[in-house]
Amino acid sequence: MFLLNRHPDHGKPLDPVDAQTLGVAAACEVERFLTHRHDHAETPLHALPGLAAELGVGAIHMKDEGFRLGLGSFKALGGSYAVIRLVLEEATRRLGRSVDVGELHDPAVSAIAAGMTFACATDGNHGRSVAEGARRVGARAVIFVHSRVSARRLAAIARFGAEIVRVDGTYDDSVVEAASVAAAKGWTVVSDTSWPGYERIPGLVMQGYTAIVREALHRIPAPPTHVFVQAGVGGVAAAIAGHLALVLGDRRPVFTVVDPARAACLYESAKAGHPVKVAHGEPTVMAMLECHEPSPVAWRVLARAADAFMTVDEADAIAVMNRLARPVGADPAIVAGESGGVGLAGLICAVAIPDVRARLGLDAASRVFVVNTEGATDPERYQELVGMSPADVAAGPYSTTQPSESLAS
């Protein structure tokens, strides 16, 4: 399914709050915070010339977030960053002076952090980021997970010392439960989705994601003409689309949001012209995108900055995992989890349909940017779907175990 953005706000400037959240100054602040992390390294940006030739476009570049901060997904940038910002703000309030990130382990700041509890709901990756951030600052984390979260992903969260609370139902049910329990106990919710009266913290989470596109723009030979980014509640898509709109202005790329067909809340919202909650049905293999209601903040950005919305099927997601694991020609092998390559799957589907290709203006001169949002965060599931272990893929003839050279050098 495919549709162009017909919202009345399409093409208009971002809301001033969103422009401040996703602009250059905010992105620079994220970069500054990252320099204080010993485990920070810029993630690889891979050129895929073989696939570009196969699809009839000029170039494809993929940002590989499977390497981000040792957590295996782009979510490492959001929850942890928000937790650290909130601790510093609380320390500033209580100590009566400005407290910066370099003072994070000052005894007075650590004592304040130790009395704070952060809660969130998760499909797996966001909870891992919040738990890691809480451990980094010495705070407590309570992570609410729904019944479909795999044991492997639970273990990955628990290793950071977080308390795990199981919730019957879906991701959306766990969001409600986390907010309810946190309100009753005085905890701070660090959610990657927003709701009325709760926007600033999800905005901080989205702000963390701007590092992805900022790093890419530093390295890519020329700004992209087209971008395809997958969406759950819409946070990473909105962060990338919003930042590109602010930085590139009239030169911004054609931006397409890609949903799983079984959890197409942003596609249906675009179709309706306002945020829509879609019915829960059969689970999708794209587990990290299995969200049935968009974040209002993300929708507000995407209504303005996204140009098209589309869906991909289960087979499309699995096929792109296998295509990236078994590259053709000079393309590198890339480990992409079940949700990681969905933006690329959207591109592959789009070029295969002449009408969609024409409406997006995809041709031999197009420069396409996509994001591998996660590596094999559930290695057993990855091997089941790809037929190789992540280690076998990474050890292939075009191993991606080290960041690629700067494409601009």
Side-chain angles (χ1 to χ4, degrees):
M1 296 188 290
F2 174 88
L3 57 85
L4 294 174
N5 186 357
R6 303 296 188 192
H7 194 278
D9 289 340
H10 178 230
K12 291 183 178 179
L14 298 190
D15 181 282
V17 171
D18 300 326
Q20 183 177 27
T21 298
L22 303 176
V24 172
C28 288
E29 186 71 351
V30 173
E31 286 187 324
R32 189 176 72 84
F33 269 58
L34 287 171
T35 64
H36 287 269
R37 294 193 56 148
H38 73 277
D39 53 356
H40 168 61
E42 186 174 328
T43 55
L45 179 72
H46 300 295
L48 303 176
L51 185 56
E54 183 181 317
L55 299 181
V57 297
I60 300 172
H61 286 91
M62 171 173 270
K63 186 75 164 147
D64 189 355
E65 291 298 299
F67 293 86
R68 184 64 73 177
L69 297 172
L71 296 189
S73 95
F74 79 97
K75 293 281 189 177
L77 289 166
S80 180
Y81 171 73
V83 166
I84 293 169
R85 282 286 303 267
L86 293 166
V87 166
L88 294 176
E89 289 172 7
E90 180 66 11
T92 293
R93 185 185 69 82
R94 292 175 57 178
L95 297 176
R97 62 177 179 82
S98 179
V99 180
D100 196 31
V101 63
E103 302 174 77
L104 198 58
H105 299 296
D106 179 274
V109 177
S110 295
I112 290 168
M116 300 178 73
T117 298
F118 296 95
C120 75
T122 189
D123 278 316
N125 291 338
H126 176 67
R128 192 186 313 189
S129 183
V130 170
E132 190 276 339
R135 188 181 73 168
R136 180 172 294 274
V137 299
R140 179 187 178 207
V142 182
I143 311 299
F144 292 75
V145 298
H146 60 91
S147 56
R148 294 174 182 173
V149 176
S150 73
R152 285 273 184 172
R153 292 192 170 102
L154 280 177
I157 296 169
R159 74 183 176 91
F160 292 108
E163 178 184 341
I164 307 295
V165 178
R166 278 283 199 180
V167 177
D168 291 335
T170 65
Y171 168 77
D172 303 276
D173 296 318
S174 64
V175 169
V176 172
E177 183 70 7
S180 175
V181 173
K185 294 182 177 291
W187 301 341
T188 301
V189 176
V190 179
S191 178
D192 57 355
T193 192
S194 60
W195 51 83
Y198 178 78
E199 292 191 350
R200 181 172 181 270
I201 293 175
L204 289 176
V205 172
M206 288 168 54
Q207 190 174 96
Y209 302 156
T210 59
I212 299 168
V213 65
R214 188 160 174 83
E215 288 178 3
L217 289 174
H218 288 326
R219 299 294 185 181
I220 205 163
T225 61
H226 295 76
V227 177
F228 289 76
V229 176
Q230 53 270 55
V233 297
V236 67
I240 294 174
H243 189 72
L244 287 170
L246 292 165
V247 171
L248 298 179
D250 292 341
R251 298 181 299 118
R252 71 178 183 85
V254 177
F255 195 99
T256 302
V257 178
V258 186
D259 269 340
R262 293 181 180 175
C265 63
L266 281 160
Y267 175 88
E268 293 297 336
S269 295
K271 188 175 178 181
H274 57 83
V276 168
K277 183 174 183 177
V278 298
H280 300 286
E282 191 175 357
T284 173
V285 71
M286 294 164 263
M288 299 299 100
L289 306 177
E290 193 171 342
C291 306
H292 297 84
E293 187 171 9
S295 166
V297 169
W299 167 254
R300 189 169 66 211
V301 173
L302 293 171
R304 292 164 169 78
D307 301 294
F309 297 80
M310 67 181 295
T311 65
V312 296
D313 293 325
E314 305 298 289
D316 300 320
I318 297 169
V320 84
M321 293 172 69
N322 281 272
R323 175 63 175 79
L324 289 168
R326 299 176 178 85
V328 175
D331 292 357
I334 297 173
V335 177
E338 305 96 288
S339 303
V342 172
L344 179 58
L347 168 65
I348 293 170
C349 291
V351 299
I353 305 171
D355 179 60
V356 173
R357 185 183 187 117
R359 290 165 80 185
L360 290 175
L362 286 161
D363 57 29
S366 298
R367 302 182 301 272
V368 185
F369 175 66
V370 295
V371 181
N372 175 29
T373 52
E374 65 165 4
T377 54
D378 186 337
E380 290 182 355
R381 183 64 166 150
Y382 181 88
Q383 182 154 1
E384 177 187 337
L385 295 171
V386 175
M388 290 190 288
S389 72
D392 288 341
V393 173
Y398 300 103
S399 172
T400 62
T401 56
Q402 295 294 327
S404 59
E405 288 186 13
S406 168
L407 294 170
S409 63

